[in-house]
Amino acid sequence: MDALVEARGVEHRIGTRAILTGLALTIARGEVIGIAGPNGAGKSTLGRLLLGFATPTAGTITIAGVDPAAHRHAHGIGFLHEDGGRGWEYATPRALLSLHLEDPDAIRGDPICRVLAIDPLLDRRVATLSKGQWRAVQLAMALVSRTPFVLLDEPEAGLDPSAQGRLHEVVGMRAAEGAAILLLSHHLDSLAVVAAQIHLLVQGRFHDRFDPTGMSAAALRSRYTHGVDAPAADTPIVGRSI
Amino acid sequence: MRSSPIGRLPSMWRAPALLLVSWRRWRPVLAGTALTTLAVGVVGRGRGELIMAVLLYAPPIAALVVLGGAFAHWRRPSVWTTIAQRRAAGIADGWRLLVLAALLYLGVLLPIAGTALATLAVTAGGPERALDRAALFAVAWGGISFLTVATVAVGVRRGVAGITIAWMVLPAILAVVGPALDLAKEVTESLAYLAPPVHAATRLHEVLSGERVDLTRRVVTHLATFPLLCAGLLTIGLQRLLRAPTEVDP
């Protein structure tokens, strides 16, 4: 398996408080991994470490063999922030997308933009977009630059069922192109559609991992509840290709 | 096919340009500039002290509005992460934002300072000398204000801001503490070299006209080393800002 993202023995502390403990994670090229867990489990912190926006207190994280910050500088990272996106109200989606494409004229013909149906939105101010429309634009911003690693934090937030279907489609497109994709989410049913494996992160540790293929919503909920209540497992978790 | 004006820029300039465009405090800035320019032109005639007050306060206020606003905007989590996730995002983005902010700062300051100097030229008793002095002060002080505020705006909430502020109040500390400690003249003068170059800007005309040759070394030292000091502090501040601003730290 051609692993792109590798994390070993990752710990992160803020002061004396341990946020993440003994995490191991591998994501191969073309693989989609989901991480679920309750609020405060450390999902977003793990995301920041993988993006190179923070450095782990202990352990190693590499992306394509280099540290995440160096990889980000060399290749960029497709990142969807969980924040609602305040600050870009007066920009247009076209201007924002031009940050991520060398040739901004390529926006209109881009298959990801076409699937996300953002063509009619390109020249509107962000302040005039609905929450779901803005989320679609943010998704396009994270995906159009074709980065090797994509991290989407709560990508379903604000999306209606039809838009969630488009989200799954574009995630699948990027995985088919060879991107390693990590989804951080509370929405198990959505993760189950695209992720080859779901890891449960509870109190900074991976407590469970499973292949959601064919699992019903009830089975997913049961697995989640059981995983959240189960004792920590220290075994490294390795994803598989889809 | 429509294309964005930002998209027509070379890719390296798109992020800083979009930061300034999306900051969008244009109306208050333009209105403030127009009103101040008008007020200086109307009220300033025959009031040299008022003109000098405008030349003293306009640069730091303009720098605070433009630079403080632009860098506070950059620190917003969704803005910061959008900029930081791009390929080759780095310290050059910060320097380019400073260049664009400097152009905006000049756009605000030139009408105000130009009107103030023109008003002074028309009304001052000994126009040439007063005008030369005021023009030199405006240029030196304008540059110092921009660099000082840029350093604080970039390093805000970090140690750099503390160092800068402590340094800016050094003359006041010396004035209070110096006599009490009964420092030797050499020590006081040495410390004065480390003080901010506000004094240098006010004395520049006297030094250049040969009236205060004794101040030449200090004034030249301040005005020559100050940009280097700010460049060093700005580099440190930008590197820290690029690693992660406070708002997106875990």
Side-chain angles (χ1 to χ4, degrees), chain A residues 51-53 68-69 71-79 88 99-100, chain B residues 15 19 74 76-90 93 241-245 248:
Chain A
L51 294 164
F53 292 163
H71 176 82
R72 175 162 51 87
H73 186 75
H75 302 283
I77 282 196
F79 177 47
W88 291 125
L99 293 181
H100 303 281
Chain B
L19 272 171
W74 191 4
R76 300 175 84 161
S78 64
V79 173
W80 187 88
T81 49
T82 301
I83 300 298
Q85 73 189 81
R86 295 153 40 248
R87 184 182 301 119
D93 288 330
L241 177 61
L242 288 161
R243 276 203 290 275
V248 292

Side-chain angles (χ1 to χ4, degrees), chain A residues 48 73 77 86-87 98 101-102, chain B residues 14 73 78 85 88-89 248:
Chain A
R48 280 188 280 269
H73 186 75
I77 282 196
R86 286 186 204 132
S98 76
L101 288 169
E102 189 62 34
Chain B
R14 289 177 197 163
H73 181 59
S78 64
Q85 73 189 81
V248 292

Side-chain angles (χ1 to χ4, degrees), chain B residues 108-190:
Chain B
V108 171
L109 204 55
L110 282 177
I112 296 172
T115 306
L117 291 172
T119 308
L120 192 68
V122 170
T123 60
E128 210 163 294
R129 190 172 141 70
L131 188 63
D132 286 353
R133 182 188 297 271
L136 265 176
F137 173 75
V139 171
W141 182 232
I144 289 165
S145 297
F146 182 84
L147 288 170
T148 306
V149 175
T151 305
V152 176
V154 169
V156 73
R157 298 174 209 207
R158 303 283 186 183
V160 176
I163 293 167
T164 308
I165 290 164
W167 171 70
M168 288 297 283
V169 299
L170 186 61
I173 294 171
L174 281 177
V176 173
V177 177
L181 293 178
D182 196 22
L183 296 172
K185 187 185 171 196
E186 290 76 14
V187 175
T188 311
E189 287 196 344
S190 299

Side-chain angles (χ1 to χ4, degrees), chain A:
Chain A
M1 185 183 294
D2 185 11
L4 183 80
V5 179
E6 293 189 284
R8 292 281 176 268
V10 171
E11 296 191 15
H12 196 61
R13 290 179 169 274
I14 297 178
T16 56
R17 187 167 148 249
I19 307 298
L20 301 172
T21 307
L23 294 191
L25 178 70
T26 301
I27 310 174
R29 295 174 202 274
E31 185 177 44
V32 182
I33 292 288
I35 294 182
N39 292 328
K43 297 189 297 295
S44 294
T45 300
L46 175 60
R48 280 188 280 269
L49 298 179
L50 290 167
L51 294 164
F53 292 163
T55 308
T57 313
T60 59
I61 299 175
T62 59
I63 301 179
V66 299
D67 77 82
H71 176 82
R72 175 162 51 87
H73 186 75
H75 302 283
I77 282 196
F79 177 47
L80 178 68
H81 194 258
E82 66 175 320
D83 180 86
R86 286 186 204 132
W88 291 125
E89 291 87 343
Y90 294 101
T92 64
R94 188 186 297 280
L96 284 164
L97 285 163
S98 76
L99 293 181
H100 303 281
L101 288 169
E102 189 62 34
D103 174 15
D105 289 339
I107 294 169
R108 198 171 288 271
D110 191 283
I112 286 171
C113 295
R114 198 166 52 242
V115 170
L116 291 170
I118 62 169
D119 261 14
L121 314 175
L122 287 175
D123 297 305
R124 283 172 55 179
R125 286 197 327 193
V126 168
T128 69
L129 302 180
S130 71
K131 190 176 176 185
Q133 288 171 330
W134 171 230
R135 203 62 175 160
V137 170
Q138 287 181 293
L139 262 174
M141 287 160 60
L143 300 176
V144 289
S145 52
R146 305 301 197 274
T147 54
F149 177 46
V150 173
L151 195 158
L152 307 179
D153 196 353
E154 300 291 352
E156 308 86 354
L159 297 182
D160 61 33
S162 149
Q164 285 191 30
R166 291 195 286 273
L167 160 69
H168 299 148
E169 189 177 344
V170 291
V171 167
M173 286 164 67
R174 287 295 292 116
E177 291 170 354
I181 300 176
L182 181 63
L183 307 175
L184 308 176
S185 177
H186 292 294
H187 296 76
L188 281 176
D189 49 346
S190 177
L191 287 181
V193 176
V194 285
Q197 286 202 331
I198 294 177
H199 301 185
L200 287 184
L201 184 66
V202 183
Q203 294 179 340
R205 287 172 173 265
F206 284 138
H207 278 219
D208 190 14
R209 62 169 180 179
F210 56 91
D211 180 348
T213 309
M215 291 176 73
S216 66
L220 283 169
R221 271 199 303 276
S222 168
R223 188 75 184 242
Y224 179 86
T225 308
H226 180 263
V228 166
D229 294 337
D234 285 329
T235 48
I237 295 175
V238 180
R240 63 169 175 73
S241 297
I242 56 173

